[in-house]
Amino acid sequence: MRTDSSPGNLPAREHLPAGDAGTPVLDVVIPVYNEEKDLQPCVLRLHDHLKRTFPYAFRITIADNASTDTTPLVSRRLETELPEVRAFRLEQKGRGRALRTVWSASEAPILAYMDVDLSTDLNALLPLVAPLISGHSDLAIGSRLSRSSRVVRGAKREFISRSYNLILRGSLQARFSDAQCGFKAIRRDVAQVLLPLVEDTGWFFDTEMLVLAERAGLRIHEVPVDWVDDPDSTVHIVKTATDDLKGVWRVGRALATGSLPLDRLARPFGDDPRDREIKDVPNGLARQLVGFCVVGGLSTLFYLLLYSGFRVFAGSQIANALALLVSAIANTAANRRLTFGVRGRGGAVRHQAQGLVVFGIGLALTSGSLAALNAASSDPAHSTELAVLIAANLAATVLRFLLFRAWVFADRRDEIDSTVVASHVPAPNPSSPTYSMAGQGSYGPLPQRPTGAPHPTYDTDRFRAGEAADGNWREATMQLQPVRPHDTESREYR
């Protein structure tokens, strides 16, 4: 159970209300680079599918990554002919850069993207975004590796894809099944907080976004897809694989050092059903016991290794104290995150201080056991010392769990609930769109696309790099300011 008092920067998920308004609910981005042949058939097919099957207002945004062929001309022609299509031009390459830029400027509550080759069957689009509209999930991805997926592709790509996902599972402990499928969606309120943490501007963008979201505790929904490989794909496999491995190392190092502020992605206390009081059901007691036993077993091994090492150059009492101190700090940190589910840095110092008090009690038990052993035998064997310490640590472990649960990580629900209520009163914003995600203000109903009614007209000339999500406009231009300082660096579009 989480016991930190920080409500996080994200509101509780809620179902978007259905209604009638003008702003699109779904914005599907198609990043392209020199796709003059495939762009028009892709957009026309996607547009027709959404008109026939999607019950809400939608938009298709073409994100042109500095194409050098006639792709910009095709984009502008489609923008002119179809009211729901808009063209977005970037003067720098990189699929990740395109997605971050367009998603950051979009006012739609649901943001998605798909590859221009439309390898994924479009019938999976509505199941992809439905959990985001309903408030069930934060992100959604198409998975080609699900058992019920139907995939047609060569053995080489199959091997590379599965090997890459195994690397993610082994190195970053990723639990999602397919990081590379070009078929994903995210809620806008999540994207506004998550995207600034994602550094990659190329093909690793998807993986980094998913890993950070998963580590922050966000819910990722997976949809089995029907997928047919595009034999004319221009992706450079070797370069992409090399850059992806570099990205895995960078993200893994950042997670290990704790340099990423993932606590800002936390949902408010009470959003997780494990935070709620349910009659006749202990608050996660069984789960906490299992986690505590696992952490305790590993801590005991760690302690014994430390004790054996310190015993080489110090007496038994000093070796025991040093080993207990180091292992206690590690044990408190592990139990804080893994057993009691406390996320973020709030209260970490207090928890460690209380943990040291618990450590003092354990030290008294083990030191007393050693003193009794030394009183009984003037020169006890090393194996006897270890046996006595194991027994004393078992007793200290039971007491440690009780103190952790009842004191160190005790449930402070009343204090936290009052903090959440005080922190989440929305301020009126007259310049806001006609609706928003839950918890972000007072808005009208979710727009639906009326059946049989003429399509609304958009001022497409104003949708360029200068458009802001809050409705403010800068001078229209075809060049974008870099989203990050290093975005000005030249990088091959993969």
Side-chain angles (χ1 to χ4, degrees), residues 79 86-88 458-468 471-477:
E79 181 184 43
R86 292 185 179 179
F88 207 110
Y458 297 90
D459 188 1
T460 56
D461 292 336
R462 300 175 70 186
F463 187 80
R464 290 294 185 274
E467 182 177 0
N472 297 324
W473 301 86
R474 298 184 297 274
E475 182 182 355
T477 175

Side-chain angles (χ1 to χ4, degrees), residues 44 47 70 161 306 324 333 336 374 424 431 472 476:
L44 293 178
H47 182 268
T70 60
S161 179
L306 290 175
L324 265 180
R336 181 178 187 270
N374 291 328
H424 280 78
S431 64
N472 297 324

Side-chain angles (χ1 to χ4, degrees), residues 30-79:
I30 304 176
V32 293
Y33 174 70
N34 289 346
E35 297 286 356
E36 58 184 1
K37 295 172 56 178
D38 295 335
L39 179 57
Q40 180 167 328
C42 163
V43 172
L44 293 178
R45 180 182 164 193
L46 175 60
H47 182 268
D48 177 70
H49 178 83
L50 289 172
K51 284 184 61 178
R52 288 186 296 102
T53 64
F54 194 69
Y56 302 117
F58 66 88
R59 174 191 297 145
I60 301 172
T61 301
I62 304 170
D64 177 18
N65 302 141
S67 295
T68 57
D69 59 2
T70 60
T71 297
L73 299 178
V74 177
S75 301
R76 287 195 292 270
R77 184 171 68 248
L78 290 169
E79 181 184 43

Side-chain angles (χ1 to χ4, degrees), residues 40 43 45 70 98 112 156 164 171 194 210 224 236 278 314 344 354 369 392 409 424 454 456 468 474:
Q40 180 167 328
V43 172
R45 180 182 164 193
T70 60
K156 180 180 178 181
Y164 179 63
S171 59
L194 178 59
L210 292 175
H236 303 293
I278 304 175
Q354 292 172 320
S369 300
F409 304 110
H424 280 78
R474 298 184 297 274

